């Protein structure tokens, strides 16, 4: 497995980062992590929504998706972030975050606006894909098509997955609803896939990748 496709078509300073965008708390956590810890100003951020089911999303983000009051401008060993976000940008992004789920606004476009304010130098675009098949398969195929370096997806944690990690050897999505989308992507993506779970408003994140399970990153 490759951990990042840095071929001749991309420079070491530029990555394509795909965030799976849904009107859920888990997706909000994934975006928040991406903006505060993963995305560099040279990167390209792609918000992808896979349209395969309905559901109520009113107020899903209004109290959850808020950027940290101060996003670190220096990189750390465990988190490759180097963001120059100002306090004013944070406040503006938080104000927009509070609007998500209110009225008839498009949550995908609202998420894009938050990204543009929090990371003004990062190229951001959105894609909405309608599918008839399995969500995880569509994500993998689209990620390969775009040549992404990192996939970030919100992950709903259960007691069993917290204790045992995300690995389910031999898991197949064909006709099975028992395999979690995030788990399948982590184990089968050709590029690095990070599953993100937020531990409360200020408790940081629990991260899962193919090589690191239940890694707790402070906010």
């Amino acid at each position: 497995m490759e951990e990042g496709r840095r071929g001749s078509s991309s420079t070491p300073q530029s990555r394509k980062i795909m965030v799976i965008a849904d009107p859920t708390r888990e997706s909000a956590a994934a975006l928040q992590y991406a903006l505060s810890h993963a995305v560099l100003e040279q990167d390209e951020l792609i918000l992808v929504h896979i349209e395969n089911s309905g559901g109520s999303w009113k107020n899903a983000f209004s109290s959850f998706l808020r950027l940290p009051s101060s996003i670190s401008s220096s990189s750390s060993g465990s988190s490759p972030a180097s963001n120059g976000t100002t306090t004013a940008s944070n406040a503006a992004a938080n104000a927009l975050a509070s609007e998500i789920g209110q009225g008839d606004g498009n949550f995908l476009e609202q998420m894009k606006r938050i990204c543009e304010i929090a990371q003004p130098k990062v190229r951001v675009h959105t894609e909405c894909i309608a599918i008839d098949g399995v969500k995880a398969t569509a994500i993998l195929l689209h990620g390969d098509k775009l040549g992404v370096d990192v996939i970030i997806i919100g992950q709903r944690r259960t007691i069993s997955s917290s204790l045992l990690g995300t690995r389910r050897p031999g898991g197949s999505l064909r006709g099975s609803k028992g395999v979690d989308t995030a788990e399948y992507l982590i184990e089968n993506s050709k590029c690095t896939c990070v599953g993100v779970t937020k531990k409360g408003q200020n408790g940081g994140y629990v991260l899962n990748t193919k090589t690191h399970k239940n890694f707790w990153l402070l906010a």
Side-chain angles (χ1 to χ4, degrees), residues 138-159:
I139 292 172
L140 290 179
L141 291 174
H142 197 62
D144 287 344
K145 177 181 177 181
L146 296 178
V148 300
D149 298 285
V150 181
I151 297 174
I152 300 177
I153 183 170
Q155 186 171 25
R156 179 173 297 175
R157 304 296 290 160
T158 63
I159 294 177

Side-chain angles (χ1 to χ4, degrees), residues 127-206:
E127 297 186 19
C128 186
I129 304 172
I131 64 169
D132 294 324
V134 179
K135 182 176 181 178
T137 302
I139 292 172
L140 290 179
L141 291 174
H142 197 62
D144 287 344
K145 177 181 177 181
L146 296 178
V148 300
D149 298 285
V150 181
I151 297 174
I152 300 177
I153 183 170
Q155 186 171 25
R156 179 173 297 175
R157 304 296 290 160
T158 63
I159 294 177
S160 59
S161 61
S162 296
L163 293 175
L164 302 177
T166 62
R167 188 181 299 275
R168 290 188 184 182
S172 172
L173 287 181
R174 189 178 300 276
S176 173
K177 296 183 180 179
V179 179
D180 179 73
T181 297
E183 294 179 10
Y184 188 85
L185 293 178
I186 289 168
E187 294 302 322
N188 294 278
S189 176
K190 294 179 181 179
C191 66
T192 297
C193 179
V194 183
V196 180
T197 303
K198 189 169 175 62
K199 291 177 65 68
Q201 284 290 4
N202 301 305
Y205 306 90
V206 174

Side-chain angles (χ1 to χ4, degrees), residues 50-70:
I50 306 298
E51 187 71 46
N52 65 345
S53 64
S56 174
W57 53 272
K58 295 295 182 180
N59 301 317
F61 291 168
S62 60
S63 62
F64 190 81
L65 178 52
R66 285 179 171 79
L67 301 178
S69 56
S70 61

